[in-house]
């Protein structure tokens, strides 16, 4: 299934001052492929921070019989983790367990601790998540915005670079495992989940029209978007829905899928999330660092799925109630039964496997959705829906960049004015000081300035980006799993743009029909909305507690029309089906089945991926493990549903909290993708560079040993290495001086080292003085930033001197977050070269 680069250790003295005993890349991915397919092993040992390494004896293993890239063989899967991690248990001739016990333990403890904590203290847990979400969304909105756009740029860059776009996820002779239509359907159905039904109508309606009688609906949901009348407001409502379901949402899936596809199918790694970081940290992914990555991926996947499962349970409950009034609406007991019923179906499908279970569910789900949408499309005003789709796609193309960089900077400033800014970095308590001085209160800034709701990014955009990110590990890995034999260009065009456009069409049908129904109600009941704010008075429309009670409202209901702005979100998709007379029961059943099947398909894929990750890429783990991860997923969803008594806020909060650490992981995955592509095509510039320092930042996870488990050599004894790290904390000057020996002149070196050390000590001193003067906090972090900048420059200069692969962003991020390790790495790198000590 591809290959890793092979190397030969050589020692050539070219009098350039470099210790040329460093490994040189000699054959690359293509040459190693032949040996791997015949049974040869291209070892993955990495030099320090690590180049793709292999022992010099790789060629002699060519004659071995078994294929080492066949991950249906547990021995091959077990080769890529530390020997003491693999658990294999048989009962007679039957395999019972095959898994990495460290990954499974960390993920299981995380998920079940969460489940128990939520069930034991539902209210306090909900408050905790709400507080954490507010902190993340207010302080990291810029991060989510920048990263989503950066990932789009990286994917477009790969697509437009012909040498990358033509890379096949597999060897030249590999062909796709699935037909084009099955491949597309699998990507579409597993990527969407139940959200397409829940938000398909309710999201555009939330932007388009609210209830002026409710306190939280008085603000203008689309104040930041340009519109001159209600028609344009309707277009913008659909645009914002497209935006949240558009390229920014799908791109995390594509990034993970491409990185795993290239690394696993071309560089010969098992299909597990740790493999995506192999181009960055080499064989250290086989150790504890990789265990942490895989455990985080399982937890993130499960929490992301829980959000969809929670929304799906509420939607199914509403559909059952609409079809049969005997089913209680918004019943926690019914929703719990739904979750466990779906969990049972998920378990059965996962046990059946990819071809017999998951593919069947996906094809059925896609067929149901297609049938539903085609009936609505042809039975209603087809011309209206076509006009709306074409128009909204044009609006999306026009405004996607504007919306893509929008952070609601000024509406979020209202957190500070509304005395809710204690979560904000840099909040100076302006409002509190002024209120105390003037003995008055602040006016409502939202009302004064007609702002978007202060919580808009928290409740919508940041939630969506976090939700897509939390799904990225399992959807991306699943897409990579089914994309063997496809080119990068195919994966981007068919896996990113094609499902996005189909998703747009589904959203258009749902959303446009919802807007049409709202207008019918307003016109028939003679209640004019305030289109500038997007609100209408539901009491005047004859609605009370989300139900029609007025005489005319009830008559309109008998014809199948509702004022959707006055209805519950879970009712919206069912309400738009009411005007179709004898077709309505059929459409309601299709919605119910569609929600269930999309629910099951996504949960299947999630449990399937969790199981493979825990088994380190083993393609068909034992049945008992499949059951375990499916049940764990269901239990977490049940716990989250129990804590969502305040509405959907807890469901959204978990996605936002779970996605933050994975946002940073996806940023590093961008670098991994480019390096993996360069390795796959034997790029000369890439192969000419060393693949790491003499030591690695992450070698602390291996007791400061090398990545090669067979050798486990150390540049320095563990005790001495720990002393060096400790010294860098209280006296960084020594390492700074050694690090600059080859890049600065004598006098300049002393000056730079002294300046960096002084800035470091100033940072500590100013932090200690914070209780006395709040202003020292700002000066402290400015000092640290300057110190980090000097260290970044040093690392960059060392890399440039010794032709070590990397980039300035990596230098800055590691210097900012791990400066003691960077200082030790630079010092040991310099000491590793002849004549330096």
């Amino acid at each position: 299934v591809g290959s890793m680069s092979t190397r030969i250790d050589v020692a050539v003295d070219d009098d350039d001052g470099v210790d040329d005993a460093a490994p040189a890349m000699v054959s690359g991915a293509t040459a190693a492929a032949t040996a791997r397919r015949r049974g040869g092993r291209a070892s993955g040992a990495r030099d320090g921070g690590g180049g793709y390494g292999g022992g010099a004896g790789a060629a002699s293993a060519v004659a071995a019989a078994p294929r080492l890239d066949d991950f249906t063989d547990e021995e091959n899967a077990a080769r890529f983790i530390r020997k003491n991690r693999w658990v294999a248990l048989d009962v007679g001739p039957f395999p019972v367990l095959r898994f990495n016990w460290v990954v499974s333990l960390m993920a299981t403890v995380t998920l079940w601790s969460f489940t128990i904590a939520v069930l034991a203290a539902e209210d306090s847990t909900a408050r905790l998540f709400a507080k954490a979400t507010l902190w993340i969304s207010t302080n990291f909105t810029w991060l989510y915005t920048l990263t989503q756009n950066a990932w789009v740029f990286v994917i477009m860059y790969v697509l437009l670079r012909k040498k990358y776009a033509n890379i096949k996820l597999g060897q030249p002779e590999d062909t796709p495992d699935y037909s084009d239509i099955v491949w597309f359907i699998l990507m579409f159905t597993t990527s969407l989940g139940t959200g397409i039904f829940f938000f398909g109508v309710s999201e555009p309606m939330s932007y388009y029209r609210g209830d002026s009688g409710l306190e939280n609906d008085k603000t203008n949901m689309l104040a930041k978007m340009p519109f001159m009348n209600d028609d344009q407001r309707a277009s913008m409502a659909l645009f914002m829905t497209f935006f949240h379901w558009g390229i920014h949402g799908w791109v995390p899936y594509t990034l993970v899928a491409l990185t795993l596809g290239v690394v696993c199918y071309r560089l010969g790694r098992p299909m597990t999330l740790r493999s995506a970081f192999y181009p960055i940290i080499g064989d250290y992914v086989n150790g504890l660092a990789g265990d942490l990555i895989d455990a985080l991926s399982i937890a993130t996947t499960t929490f992301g799925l829980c959000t969809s499962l929670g929304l799906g349970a509420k939607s199914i409950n509403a559909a059952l109630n609409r079809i049969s009034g005997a089913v209680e609406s918004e019943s926690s007991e019914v929703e719990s039964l739904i979750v466990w019923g779906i969990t049972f179906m998920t378990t059965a499908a996962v046990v059946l496997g990819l071809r017999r279970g998951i593919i069947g569910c996906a094809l059925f789900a896609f067929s149901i959705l297609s049938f539903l949408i085609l009936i609505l499309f042809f039975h209603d005003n087809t011309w209206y829906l076509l006009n709306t789709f074409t128009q909204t796609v044009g609006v999306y193309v026009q405004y996607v960049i504007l919306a893509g960089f929008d952070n609601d900077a000024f509406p979020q400033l209202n957190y500070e004015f509304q005395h809710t800014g204690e979560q904000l970095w840099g909040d100076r308590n302006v409002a509190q000081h002024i209120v105390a001085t003037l003995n008055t209160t602040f006016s409502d800034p939202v009302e004064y300035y007609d702002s978007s709701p202060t919580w808009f990014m928290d409740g919508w955009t940041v939630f969506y980006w976090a939700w897509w990110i939390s799904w990225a590990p399992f959807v991306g890995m699943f897409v990579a799993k089914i994309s063997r034999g496809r080119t990068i260009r195919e994966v981007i065009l068919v896996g990113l743009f094609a499902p996005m456009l189909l998703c747009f069409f589904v959203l258009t049908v749902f959303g446009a029909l919802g807007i049409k129904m709202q207008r019918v109600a307003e016109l028939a009941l003679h209640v004019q909305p305030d289109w500038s704010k997007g609100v209408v008075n539901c009491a005047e429309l004859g609605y009370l507690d989300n139900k029609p009670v007025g005489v005319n409202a009830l008559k309109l209901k008998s014809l199948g029309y509702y004022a959707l702005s006055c209805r519950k979100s879970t009712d919206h998709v069912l309400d738009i089906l009411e005007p179709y007379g004898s077709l309505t029961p059929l459409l309601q059943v299709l919605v119910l089945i569609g929600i269930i099947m999309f629910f099951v398909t996504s949960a299947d894929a999630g449990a399937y991926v969790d199981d493979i990750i825990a088994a380190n890429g083993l393609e068909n783990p034992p049945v008992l493990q499949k059951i375990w991860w499916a049940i764990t997923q269901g239990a977490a969803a049940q716990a989250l549903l129990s804590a969502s008594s305040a509405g959907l806020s807890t469901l959204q909060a978990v996605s936002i909290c779970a996605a933050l650490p994975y946002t940073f992981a996806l940023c590093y995955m961008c670098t991994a993708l480019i390096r993996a592509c360069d390795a796959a095509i034997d790029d000369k510039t890439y192969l000419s560079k060393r693949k790491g320092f003499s030591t690695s930042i992450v070698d602390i996870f291996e007791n400061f040993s090398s990545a090669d488990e067979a050798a486990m050599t150390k540049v320095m004894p563990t005790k001495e290495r720990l002393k060096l790290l400790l010294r860098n904390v209280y006296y960084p000057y020594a390492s700074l001086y050694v690090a600059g020996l080859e890049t600065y002149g004598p006098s300049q070196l002393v000056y730079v080292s002294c300046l960096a050390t002084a800035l470091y000590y100033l940072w500590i001193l100013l932090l200690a003085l914070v209780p006395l003067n709040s202003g020292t906090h700002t000066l402290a972090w400015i000092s640290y930033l300057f110190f980090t900048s000097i260290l970044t420059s040093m690392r960059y200069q060392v890399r440039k001197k010794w032709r070590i692969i990397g980039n300035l962003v990596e230098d800055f991020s590691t210097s900012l977050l791990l400066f003691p390790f960077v200082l030790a790495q630079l010092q040991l790198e310099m000491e590793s070269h002849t004549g330096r000590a």
Side-chain angles (χ1 to χ4, degrees):
V1 197
S3 67
M4 288 183 294
S5 300
T6 310
R7 77 172 198 210
I8 294 178
D9 292 339
V10 296
V12 180
D13 186 5
D14 54 8
D15 295 323
D16 62 357
V18 181
D19 180 3
D20 291 303
M25 308 294 291
V26 297
S27 62
T30 304
T34 302
R36 293 183 57 78
R37 289 194 299 272
R38 294 175 182 172
R41 173 172 180 171
S43 170
R46 206 166 187 181
D47 49 315
Y52 306 106
S60 64
V62 169
R67 285 184 54 152
L68 298 177
D69 58 9
D70 177 12
F71 293 107
T72 59
D73 183 349
E74 68 175 271
E75 292 185 4
N76 291 337
R79 289 190 304 114
F80 293 94
I81 56 173
R82 302 304 182 217
K83 293 179 181 178
N84 60 1
R85 305 287 206 272
W86 188 251
V87 172
L89 176 65
D90 297 330
V91 174
F94 303 105
V96 177
L97 296 175
R98 297 288 188 276
F99 65 96
N100 180 331
W101 71 267
V102 175
V103 170
S104 300
L105 179 63
M106 288 192 291
T108 299
V109 168
T110 300
L111 294 171
W112 282 96
S113 296
F114 163 82
T115 301
I116 294 170
V118 169
L119 293 176
E122 296 177 9
D123 293 337
S124 59
T125 303
R127 289 194 298 270
L128 175 64
F129 277 120
K131 189 173 183 179
T133 301
L134 179 61
W135 181 80
I136 292 172
S137 60
T138 52
N139 291 304
F140 289 100
T141 297
W142 60 272
L143 175 68
Y144 282 109
T145 299
L146 284 179
T147 52
Q148 298 290 139
N149 286 289
W151 301 336
V152 171
F153 174 81
V154 169
I155 295 302
M156 292 300 100
Y157 172 78
V158 171
L159 176 64
L160 296 176
R161 291 295 299 271
K162 186 176 180 180
K163 66 176 184 178
Y164 294 152
N166 289 334
I167 293 175
K168 179 181 282 191
L169 306 187
Q171 295 307 309
E173 68 274 13
D174 287 342
T175 57
D177 294 329
Y178 307 97
S179 67
D180 292 344
I181 186 64
V182 171
W183 180 51
F184 170 78
I185 289 173
L186 282 171
M187 289 189 290
F188 182 81
T189 52
T190 56
S191 300
L192 287 180
T194 59
I196 193 69
F197 291 95
F198 186 90
F199 290 112
V201 183
S202 65
E203 183 175 355
M205 282 308 306
S206 296
Y207 307 141
Y208 179 63
R209 198 75 83 231
D211 181 3
S212 62
L214 298 179
E215 187 66 27
N216 63 346
D217 274 357
K218 288 182 179 179
T219 54
N220 188 353
M221 293 285 284
L222 287 180
K224 61 184 177 181
M225 301 306 299
F227 56 89
M228 298 295 293
N229 54 39
D230 198 66
D231 296 335
Q232 293 180 359
R233 183 183 189 92
S235 289
M236 285 301 169
L238 287 170
F239 159 72
M240 284 302 298
T241 306
F242 275 27
F243 172 61
H244 290 146
W245 292 80
I247 190 170
H248 292 82
W250 289 83
V251 77
Y253 298 170
T254 308
L255 176 60
V256 175
L258 292 180
T259 307
L260 283 174
V262 176
V263 172
C264 296
Y265 295 139
R266 295 298 294 268
L267 306 184
R269 303 290 301 185
M271 184 63 71
T272 179
L273 265 298
R274 70 173 70 204
S275 295
F277 298 88
Y278 176 66
I280 299 178
I281 61 175
D283 273 0
Y284 283 109
V285 298
N286 296 347
L288 184 58
D291 295 336
L292 291 171
I293 292 169
D294 281 348
L296 174 64
S297 300
I298 292 175
T300 302
T301 289
T302 304
F303 288 135
L305 275 167
C306 284
T307 302
S308 186
L309 297 181
L311 298 176
K314 293 178 180 296
S315 298
I316 293 172
N317 190 180
L320 290 172
N321 173 259
R322 183 68 63 94
I323 294 172
S324 172
V327 179
E328 185 180 352
S329 177
E330 295 187 335
S331 167
S332 58
E333 291 80 7
V334 172
E335 291 173 0
S336 296
L337 289 174
I338 291 170
V339 167
W340 287 110
I342 297 298
T343 299
F344 175 78
M345 296 174 65
T346 299
T347 304
V350 171
V351 169
L352 288 173
L354 177 58
R355 292 186 178 275
R356 290 185 298 166
I358 298 175
I359 290 180
C361 290
L363 293 174
F364 187 42
F366 186 83
S367 300
I368 293 295
L369 179 63
S370 300
F371 190 35
L372 171 66
I373 294 300
L374 288 174
I375 291 176
L376 295 176
F377 178 71
F378 287 112
H379 195 61
D380 211 288
N381 288 345
T382 305
W383 54 268
Y384 163 64
L385 296 175
L386 285 173
N387 284 342
T388 305
F389 175 70
T390 306
Q391 175 177 300
T392 310
V393 169
V395 174
Y396 178 80
V397 173
Q398 181 179 2
Y399 286 104
V400 65
I401 296 178
L402 171 66
F405 284 92
D406 181 76
N407 288 325
D408 265 9
F410 298 109
Q412 285 201 352
L413 181 62
N414 296 335
Y415 278 124
E416 190 172 347
F417 298 151
Q418 294 170 329
H419 311 286
T420 56
E422 66 274 3
Q423 300 279 350
L424 301 173
W425 291 345
D427 174 33
R428 300 180 60 245
N429 298 318
V430 172
Q432 295 181 17
H433 294 318
I434 292 177
V435 167
T437 302
L438 300 182
N439 194 26
T440 185
T441 59
F442 260 44
S443 298
D444 183 1
V446 176
E447 182 179 345
Y448 254 53
Y449 306 118
D450 195 22
S451 299
S452 296
T454 306
W455 49 264
F456 184 88
M457 297 299 286
D458 177 12
W460 286 108
T461 305
V462 171
F463 158 65
Y464 262 114
W465 296 164
W467 195 12
W468 288 99
I469 291 168
S470 66
W471 273 46
F474 92 85
V475 174
M477 179 171 158
F478 186 79
V479 171
K481 185 73 176 174
I482 63 176
S483 297
R484 180 180 176 182
R486 308 281 179 175
T487 64
I488 284 179
R489 180 181 289 106
E490 288 178 281
V491 174
I492 295 175
L493 294 179
V494 182
L496 173 60
F497 290 108
M500 181 183 75
L501 288 174
L502 180 57
C503 180
F504 282 176
F505 184 74
V506 174
L507 292 171
T508 296
V509 172
F510 282 153
L513 291 179
I515 291 172
K516 174 187 172 183
M517 179 171 283
Q518 177 68 26
R519 286 191 166 190
V520 167
E522 291 170 352
L523 293 170
L525 299 174
H526 306 290
V527 179
Q528 186 173 4
D530 180 353
W531 63 263
S532 63
K533 288 186 176 294
V535 294
V536 68
N537 192 311
C538 285
E540 293 181 10
L541 286 168
Y543 278 76
L544 179 66
D545 296 331
N546 305 120
K547 297 178 181 179
V549 294
V551 174
N552 288 334
L554 288 171
K555 290 180 179 178
L556 199 62
K557 173 190 174 184
S558 68
L559 298 176
Y561 289 93
Y562 297 86
L564 296 186
S565 61
C566 309
R567 301 281 285 166
K568 296 176 183 177
S569 297
T570 50
D571 288 326
H572 286 172
V573 71
L574 298 167
D575 288 343
I576 66 169
L577 309 178
E578 293 287 346
Y580 300 106
S582 58
L583 281 178
T584 295
L586 171 63
L587 296 175
Q588 291 173 343
V589 171
L590 289 176
V591 166
L592 175 62
I593 297 174
I595 295 172
I596 292 174
M597 293 314 302
F598 270 84
F599 200 154
V600 171
T601 302
S602 297
D604 284 349
Y608 174 78
V609 166
D610 283 353
D611 189 25
I612 290 180
I613 293 174
N616 202 52
L618 184 64
E619 292 190 7
N620 189 27
V623 171
L624 185 61
Q625 294 170 214
K626 298 178 180 180
I627 296 173
W628 170 256
W629 290 112
I631 291 176
T632 298
Q633 184 175 276
Q638 171 62 64
L640 188 55
L641 202 60
S642 300
S644 61
S645 56
L648 302 178
S649 57
T650 307
L651 296 172
Q652 295 173 332
V654 170
S655 285
I656 293 175
C657 295
L660 181 61
Y662 223 86
T663 301
F664 296 100
L666 289 176
C667 290
Y668 278 99
M669 210 174 284
C670 293
T671 299
L673 173 59
I674 301 300
R675 291 185 188 174
C677 288
D678 285 336
I681 62 175
D682 294 340
D683 182 80
K684 293 182 180 180
T685 302
Y686 173 80
L687 296 180
S688 68
K689 292 183 178 181
R690 286 178 52 196
K691 302 307 179 288
F693 290 84
S694 59
T695 58
S696 173
I697 292 290
V698 298
D699 63 5
I700 187 174
F701 295 114
E702 301 301 315
N703 194 24
F704 303 109
S705 300
S706 64
D708 186 355
E709 186 178 19
M712 298 298 283
T713 58
K714 296 184 180 182
V715 173
M716 178 183 289
T718 299
K719 184 176 180 180
E720 297 301 316
R721 188 75 174 274
L722 291 172
K723 287 182 179 179
L724 176 59
L725 291 173
L726 180 62
R727 191 195 69 184
N728 289 337
V729 173
Y730 68 81
Y731 182 62
Y733 176 84
S735 292
L736 284 165
Y737 185 87
V738 175
L741 284 173
E742 287 289 348
T743 55
Y744 296 99
S747 59
Q748 187 183 23
L749 176 58
V750 173
Y751 170 76
V752 171
S753 300
C754 288
L755 175 61
T757 304
L759 289 168
Y760 175 74
Y761 287 143
L762 181 61
W763 169 57
I764 296 175
L765 176 62
L766 292 173
L767 284 180
L769 295 175
V770 166
L772 302 179
N773 189 332
S774 60
T776 60
H777 179 271
T778 300
L779 296 176
W781 288 105
I782 291 175
S783 298
Y784 182 73
L785 187 61
F786 281 127
F787 164 74
T788 299
S789 299
I790 294 174
L791 185 56
T792 299
S793 176
M794 283 188 165
R795 195 172 192 265
Y796 172 79
Q797 294 294 337
V798 171
R799 279 197 309 98
K800 185 178 179 181
K801 171 70 177 179
W802 305 114
R803 291 185 58 78
I804 300 172
I805 197 168
N807 57 61
L808 196 59
V809 176
E810 290 179 70
D811 295 332
F812 178 74
S813 61
T814 52
S815 299
L816 180 69
L817 302 174
L818 302 166
F819 76 88
F821 294 88
V822 172
L823 285 170
Q825 184 184 59
L826 294 178
Q827 177 174 335
L828 294 174
E829 175 65 32
M830 297 304 298
E831 292 176 350
S832 69
H833 297 289
T834 306
R836 298 295 174 189

